[in-house]
């Protein structure tokens, strides 16, 4: 890395932030493309967000990714928001130009591009687990491609609220939902730790299910999918593709996705299922 007086600054804001893998693959991409910029993590507490964002703007930062817990809070602090941000209600990408901050959401397209590596989601019956911020981006993406969605969440009221907004169906009984679904998407944080109580009996997966877990590790759900012979994917591909779309917004360049993926090999990527013939 050759940092000079002309080097531009990109980064990611969140709290905590030390676990973030975005600096790894974004710097690999910048360096590969020969772009005179660096990407750094900024750990910013919720109570400091307004001041920090203004400071970063004044310091000449060109673009930021936004992660937990700031994805919704930043909306109050930016000058413009994209249509997707308006519909999803959260931003994960900020672009600074001419003194203004514009908010974008690339989680939804990151999810779609990653899922496309595994299956064609158009007109599929998809069971979505969870109704938090990630679920909103996934529901937006699934509706965009015309998938038919069954939504389940531990706190049912939240699922009902989202179902109205995104025009999807809510289910109570996960086992029934599983029988109806061709694709299962976990957007909850269950599986971050191996000892988390499973969302359902993962032994009930059939080999025809396609399983996508947004968590960037091999969760018990993904492990069960692997053992059953399902096609599956962890959160790594989505992480890369959402970052790749942010890269496109900041630089105007085609993101080097292969380089981004390669840079994460030491961190557990790839852990998606092998290329098996499509069954669905
Ligand atoms: N791969 C990627 O690029 C990517 C992008 C975004 C997010 N993610 C991952 O997606 C996950 C969710 O993120 P988020 O921003 O949506 O979080 P969030 O807004 O806090 O939502 C958390 C969701 O998990 C559910 N949940 C939490 N503990 C549970 C439990 N013990 N049993 C059942 N449900 C439980 C919550 O249900 P309640 O409503 O009942 O509380 C809620 O639906 C995180 O692990 C995050 O790392 C990955």
């Amino acid at each position: 890395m050759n940092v000079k007086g002309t080097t531009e600054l990109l980064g990611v804001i969140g709290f905590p932030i030390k676990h973030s893998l975005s600096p790894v693959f974004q710097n690999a991409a910048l360096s590969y493309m020969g772009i005179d910029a660096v990407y750094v993590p900024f750990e910013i507490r919720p109570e400091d967000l307004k001041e920090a964002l203004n400071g970063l703007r004044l310091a000449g930062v060109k673009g930021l990714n936004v992660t937990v817990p700031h994805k919704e809070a930043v909306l109050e602090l930016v000058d413009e928001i994209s249509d997707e941000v308006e519909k999803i209600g959260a931003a994960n990408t900020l672009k600074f130009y001419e003194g203004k901050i514009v908010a974008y959401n690339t989680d939804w397209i990151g999810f779609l591009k990653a899922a496309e590596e595994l299956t064609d989601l158009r007109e599929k019956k998809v069971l979505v687990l969870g109704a938090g911020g990630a679920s909103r981006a996934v529901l937006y993406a699934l509706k965009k491609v015309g998938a038919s969605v069954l939504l389940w969440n531990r706190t049912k009221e939240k699922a009902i609220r989202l179902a109205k907004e995104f025009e999807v169906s809510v289910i109570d009984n996960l086992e029934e939902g599983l029988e109806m679904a061709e694709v299962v998407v976990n957007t909850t944080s269950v599986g971050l730790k191996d000892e988390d109580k499973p969302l359902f009996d993962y032994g009930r997966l059939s080999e025809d299910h396609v399983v996508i877990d947004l968590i960037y590790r091999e969760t018990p759900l993904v492990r069960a999918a692997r053992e059953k012979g399902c096609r599956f994917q962890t959160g790594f591909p989505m992480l890369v593709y959402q970052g790749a779309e942010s890269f496109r917004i900041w630089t105007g360049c085609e993101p080097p996705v292969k380089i981004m993926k390669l840079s994460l090999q030491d961190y557990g990527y790839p852990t998606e299922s092998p290329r098996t013939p499509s069954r669905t």
Side-chain angles (χ1 to χ4, degrees):
M1 198 178 290
N2 185 13
V3 178
K4 309 186 288 265
T6 52
T7 302
E8 292 189 330
L9 200 54
L10 299 167
V12 54
I13 55 171
F15 189 86
I17 203 64
K18 291 187 175 56
H19 65 285
S20 176
L21 294 175
S22 294
V24 175
F25 70 85
Q26 293 289 4
N27 282 312
L30 291 167
S31 160
Y32 175 80
M33 297 291 286
I35 295 172
D36 187 14
V38 288
Y39 183 105
V40 292
F42 296 107
E43 192 158 76
I44 293 168
R45 291 178 181 279
E47 59 272 28
D48 297 330
L49 182 62
K50 186 175 180 183
E51 226 176 322
L53 209 54
N54 197 38
L56 292 168
R57 182 177 65 80
L58 293 172
V61 165
K62 294 291 178 219
L64 291 173
N65 278 130
V66 181
T67 188
V68 178
H70 304 315
K71 285 185 173 189
E72 287 164 30
V74 288
L75 301 191
E76 300 295 318
L77 306 172
V78 301
D79 301 294
E80 287 172 32
I81 61 174
S82 70
D83 286 353
E84 289 89 359
V85 169
E86 172 105 50
K87 291 193 180 101
I88 295 167
N92 74 326
T93 304
L94 303 179
K95 182 172 176 168
F96 298 65
Y97 77 96
E98 293 173 358
K100 284 189 178 168
I101 309 179
V102 187
Y104 299 87
N105 188 304
T106 66
D107 278 335
W108 73 275
I109 192 160
F111 168 76
L112 269 192
K113 290 202 166 191
E116 272 168 16
E117 290 189 346
L118 205 60
T119 190
D120 182 352
L121 286 168
R122 279 172 299 177
E123 292 169 27
K124 285 273 158 56
K125 195 147 237 181
V126 185
L127 172 62
V128 175
L129 310 171
S135 174
R136 298 182 66 87
V138 166
L139 293 177
Y140 178 79
L142 290 171
K143 290 304 286 183
K144 197 126 185 136
V145 295
S148 147
V149 179
L150 300 168
L151 178 63
W152 175 90
N153 192 50
R154 176 180 60 178
T155 313
K156 194 178 172 189
E157 303 77 65
K158 264 166 84 179
I160 293 173
R161 219 177 309 140
L162 251 71
K164 275 198 191 125
E165 224 177 297
F166 291 92
E167 298 177 339
V168 299
S169 312
V170 174
I171 55 150
D172 283 321
N173 186 319
L174 263 186
E175 268 79 22
E176 272 175 28
L178 194 63
E179 272 179 29
M180 289 190 269
E182 297 162 282
V183 182
V184 180
V185 183
N186 177 35
T187 77
T188 76
S189 42
V190 174
L192 273 172
K193 291 178 260 125
D194 274 348
E195 58 272 26
D196 287 348
K197 187 174 169 286
L199 290 162
F200 60 93
D201 174 5
Y202 300 150
R204 296 181 80 123
L205 285 170
S206 92
E207 67 160 349
D208 291 328
H209 282 119
V210 173
V211 175
I212 302 175
D213 198 324
L214 264 51
I215 295 174
Y216 347 109
R217 69 185 290 260
E218 182 156 310
T219 58
L221 172 63
V222 162
R223 210 168 301 135
R226 184 197 289 281
E227 282 160 12
K228 281 277 174 175
C230 307
R231 274 178 294 145
F232 65 87
Q233 193 177 68
T234 67
F236 274 109
M238 175 173 168
L239 174 71
V240 167
Y241 281 109
Q242 60 79 33
E245 293 307 312
S246 303
F247 183 96
R248 192 194 300 280
I249 288 169
W250 301 319
T251 66
C253 298
E254 186 63 32
V257 172
K258 266 194 194 154
I259 297 296
M260 292 172 147
K261 288 179 176 177
L262 273 174
S263 72
L264 289 177
Q265 271 186 337
D266 290 345
Y267 298 86
Y269 191 107
T271 49
E272 71 256 59
S273 54
R275 298 273 178 273
T276 47
S278 177
R279 274 189 295 262
T280 49

